[in-house]
Amino acid sequence: MVEQLRVLGYPRLVSMENFRTPNFKLIAEILEWLVHRYDAQISIPLVIETEQERAFFIKSATFYILQKARIKLNPKKLYMADGHAVQEIAVVVRNLYEITRHSSDFDQNATISSMRNIILSKISLLFNFEELQKCQQLALQIPNHGATLYDLLAKEVTAKIERNKALSFSLSLSDGEKAILQAIQAIQEELAIINQNLQNVSSDEAALDAKIERRKKEYEQQQKRLAKLQLLPYYCKVYFMRIID
């Protein structure tokens, strides 16, 4: 009972040591608090100075507990305010504890269920949004595919004629072999021409390299002659320039 009172939120620390001797005041406080827990509108005056006041208090508390919790207590044992009274009160405390625990479990389950429903609804909305996007994309593709199909159907008349012509044309095995050999020969001739062009390019490249080399040598000779002329006096330069001209 002591632990259950603590869980229920009783404001005072209670132990069994408090009831080794009769403690009517503590019993009355616990009863008044329990009645108030069952119905916050009920308030029993905690007036217990005389024997009559104590008897009236016990009678009122047992009446309200019987009315609210359907638990019948023994007023005589409660009045004794000892271990027997604790046993009587323990029944009420246990009942209130079970009600509170079940209510807490119910609230927790309700909260979990509510959260689950919210999550499922959000997931459903997400999937619906993705499906809506897919539908929009498909709707945008429909006109393009329709236009393409229209163009293909317009070409079907010509394509049908060409297809029937191709199907009606009979090709013998010898003719097919001859056509393949001709195609191979044509490819070989084209390949020979390409190789010849490559060889010509190689020879042209060699001739161009030789010409470049010859021009480089001529340039170097001219540079040397120019250097020698720059070392001579002016009148000699004029003389040699006239000779060269």
Side-chain angles (χ1 to χ4, degrees):
M1 185 193 77
V2 175
E3 182 64 23
Q4 291 174 348
L5 278 174
R6 186 187 65 80
V7 173
L8 290 173
Y10 185 68
R12 178 177 173 180
L13 183 62
V14 179
S15 68
M16 296 304 297
E17 295 293 331
N18 299 121
F19 302 101
R20 288 189 178 276
T21 58
N23 192 345
F24 190 87
K25 183 179 180 181
L26 182 56
I27 291 292
E29 290 176 354
I30 295 174
L31 284 173
E32 192 271 338
W33 183 80
L34 290 173
V35 171
H36 190 72
R37 281 297 303 267
Y38 278 112
D39 191 345
Q41 302 296 328
I42 299 175
S43 178
I44 305 176
L46 196 61
V47 181
I48 53 175
E49 298 298 330
T50 64
E51 184 177 348
Q52 291 180 352
E53 291 173 347
R54 293 180 181 181
F56 178 77
F57 178 85
I58 293 295
K59 184 177 180 181
S60 299
T62 54
F63 172 77
Y64 285 124
I65 290 174
L66 177 62
Q67 184 181 20
K68 298 297 181 181
R70 298 293 187 269
I71 298 175
K72 186 176 182 180
L73 301 178
N74 191 330
K76 292 182 179 180
K77 292 183 178 180
L78 291 174
Y79 191 86
M80 294 171 63
D82 55 4
H84 296 87
V86 172
Q87 293 177 358
E88 293 292 316
I89 292 177
V91 178
V92 182
V93 172
R94 190 179 307 112
N95 176 262
L96 189 60
Y97 175 78
E98 293 295 332
I99 293 173
T100 304
R101 189 181 66 176
H102 290 319
S103 177
S104 177
D105 293 341
F106 177 77
D107 293 340
Q108 185 177 5
N109 293 333
T111 302
I112 294 173
S113 178
S114 177
M115 292 178 64
R116 185 187 300 112
N117 292 333
I118 292 173
I119 293 172
L120 290 176
S121 63
K122 289 184 177 180
I123 292 174
S124 178
L125 289 174
L126 179 61
F127 285 149
N128 291 335
F129 181 72
E130 291 180 353
E131 291 178 359
L132 181 61
Q133 286 184 330
K134 291 180 180 178
C135 291
Q136 290 178 348
Q137 292 176 357
L138 292 175
L140 293 175
Q141 294 176 2
I142 288 175
N144 295 331
H145 290 306
T148 304
L149 182 61
Y150 178 80
D151 294 338
L152 292 175
L153 290 175
K155 297 177 181 179
E156 175 60 20
V157 178
T158 305
K160 184 177 181 180
I161 296 173
E162 297 295 332
R163 185 169 58 251
N164 292 333
K165 185 186 296 184
L167 291 174
S168 62
F169 180 74
S170 60
L171 182 65
S172 62
L173 184 60
S174 59
D175 293 337
E177 184 179 1
K178 183 178 179 181
I180 293 173
L181 292 175
Q182 290 177 353
I184 293 173
Q185 185 178 0
I187 293 173
Q188 289 177 347
E189 291 176 355
E190 291 181 0
L191 182 61
I193 294 172
I194 293 172
N195 291 330
Q196 183 65 31
N197 292 333
L198 289 175
Q199 291 178 359
N200 294 334
V201 169
S202 299
S203 61
D204 292 341
E205 184 178 0
L208 183 61
D209 291 339
K211 187 175 182 180
I212 292 172
E213 187 66 25
R214 186 172 63 254
R215 292 295 184 183
K216 287 174 65 177
K217 290 180 179 180
E218 292 177 357
Y219 175 76
E220 291 176 356
Q221 291 176 359
Q222 294 293 336
Q223 289 291 328
K224 290 178 180 179
R225 293 177 63 183
L226 180 61
K228 290 179 180 180
L229 288 175
Q230 290 177 350
L231 295 175
L232 295 175
Y234 177 74
Y235 62 89
C236 293
K237 292 181 182 180
V238 174
Y239 175 75
F240 280 108
M241 289 297 294
R242 289 178 179 178
I243 294 175
I244 293 172
D245 293 338

